Amino acid sequence: MSDFDSITVTRNEQKELVIHNPTSYPFIGKGLQGAVFKLSEDSCVKIFLKSEVAKQEKEAMLKGQGLPFMPKLFESGHNYIIMEYIYGPSLRDYLQEHGTITESITRQIVFMKREMKRLGFTNLDICVIRHIFVDKQQILKTVDHANAYKQKPIPVRLLNTLSELGLIDLFLQQVKDMDQELYSEWKNYMSMPNGAKMKAKRSK
C-alpha cells in the first residue's frame, strides 16, 4: 500500500497547503498540518507537511487505541499515518440536522474529555467540533491529535460552537448531571463576558 508515496503536501509562499496527488485515491480533506486521502472502504491515509507532526499524531493515537472515540491506527511512516476511515457527518452537521443534543452524545463528550485527561493530553480543545464525527452506530470518533500536548484545558471551540447552535444550555445541564467538575469549569468559561472569553481564547 505504498503507492500513496507519490502524494506530496507542501506549503506555498502564501502559507496555503498545496497538494499533488497523481494517484486515484480520493481527496477527503485537509487541515493546517496535512491532507487526507481515502485508500479503501475502511482506511485512509493522512500525509503530513512535517515528519515530527506525523510522529506526534502517531504517538497520541497509540496512547488512545482501544478507546471508542479513537480511530484505529493501522500503519505509520515518516510523514504519514494510515487509520480507520470514519463514515458519518461531523458533529456540527449532525447537531444542526437534529436540532438538539442527546444525553448519549453529551455522555460521550464527557467520557472523551475524562479519558484525554487520564492519558495526559493537556489540550482538551484538541477535538474541535469539526474534528468529531458521528459514525453509523452513533459513536463519536475524533481525528487530528497532533497537538494533544498543547496547554488548552478548556474545549473553547466546542463550547462556542454549541453556543452558536443554541444548544449550550441543554448541553451544560446534561454535563452537570454527569461530571460536576467539568460542568463548573465549562460553566465558568461560558459565564465570562465576551471580551474576557476572547482574551482567554487567545491565551490558550
Side-chain angles (χ1 to χ4, degrees):
M1 200 180 281
S2 61
D3 47 343
F4 58 78
D5 287 345
S6 59
I7 302 174
T8 60
V9 178
T10 58
R11 202 182 295 281
N12 62 22
E13 294 181 356
Q14 290 74 40
K15 306 299 182 181
E16 299 167 332
L17 216 62
V18 178
I19 298 167
H20 174 65
N21 179 18
T23 76
S24 59
Y25 296 127
F27 167 73
I28 298 174
K30 63 181 179 179
L32 295 176
Q33 307 290 356
V36 183
F37 305 85
K38 186 176 180 181
L39 296 180
S40 68
E41 289 304 306
D42 62 357
S43 67
C44 59
V45 61
K46 184 173 182 178
I47 309 292
F48 293 84
L49 279 166
K50 300 179 180 179
S51 59
E52 59 265 32
V53 179
K55 181 180 179 181
Q56 290 166 2
E57 181 138 2
K58 178 194 75 173
E59 290 176 350
M61 290 187 70
L62 281 174
K63 270 195 170 185
Q65 288 299 284
L67 292 171
F69 60 82
M70 186 67 73
K72 295 175 184 176
L73 178 64
F74 297 130
E75 183 185 325
S76 63
H78 77 284
N79 73 330
Y80 73 87
I81 58 172
I82 298 176
M83 60 185 174
E84 174 186 5
Y85 178 75
I86 308 300
Y87 287 90
S90 70
L91 180 56
R92 183 187 186 109
D93 290 344
Y94 179 88
L95 294 177
Q96 281 183 319
E97 178 183 351
H98 290 79
T100 190
I101 184 166
T102 64
E103 288 190 7
S104 173
I105 294 293
T106 298
R107 193 174 303 280
Q108 290 182 70
I109 292 172
V110 169
F111 174 80
M112 185 190 307
K113 300 307 177 183
R114 285 175 179 165
E115 289 299 293
M116 289 167 73
K117 280 186 175 182
R118 183 184 65 80
L119 292 172
F121 292 0
T122 52
N123 183 2
L124 296 191
D125 200 26
I126 186 174
C127 297
V128 299
I129 203 162
R130 66 188 177 90
H131 291 154
I132 304 176
F133 294 86
V134 186
D135 73 8
K136 294 178 179 179
Q137 287 74 44
Q138 309 297 298
I139 303 298
L140 299 187
K141 300 283 186 176
T142 66
V143 298
D144 202 357
H145 296 271
N147 296 316
Y149 300 103
K150 285 189 174 181
Q151 293 294 327
K152 295 185 177 182
I154 304 293
V156 169
R157 288 172 285 186
L158 174 66
L159 297 176
N160 288 348
T161 301
L162 289 171
S163 181
E164 292 168 7
L165 295 175
L167 300 175
I168 191 65
D169 291 339
L170 175 59
F171 173 73
L172 288 176
Q173 184 56 51
Q174 293 171 349
V175 172
K176 185 178 181 180
D177 297 333
M178 301 172 189
D179 190 310
Q180 187 65 46
E181 182 181 354
L182 282 180
Y183 168 76
S184 296
E185 291 177 3
W186 297 350
K187 178 68 173 178
N188 287 342
Y189 170 77
M190 295 308 300
S191 298
M192 294 167 64
N194 286 338
K197 283 203 291 188
M198 290 300 295
K199 184 177 180 181
K201 183 176 180 180
R202 288 194 297 269
S203 66
K204 294 186 184 303

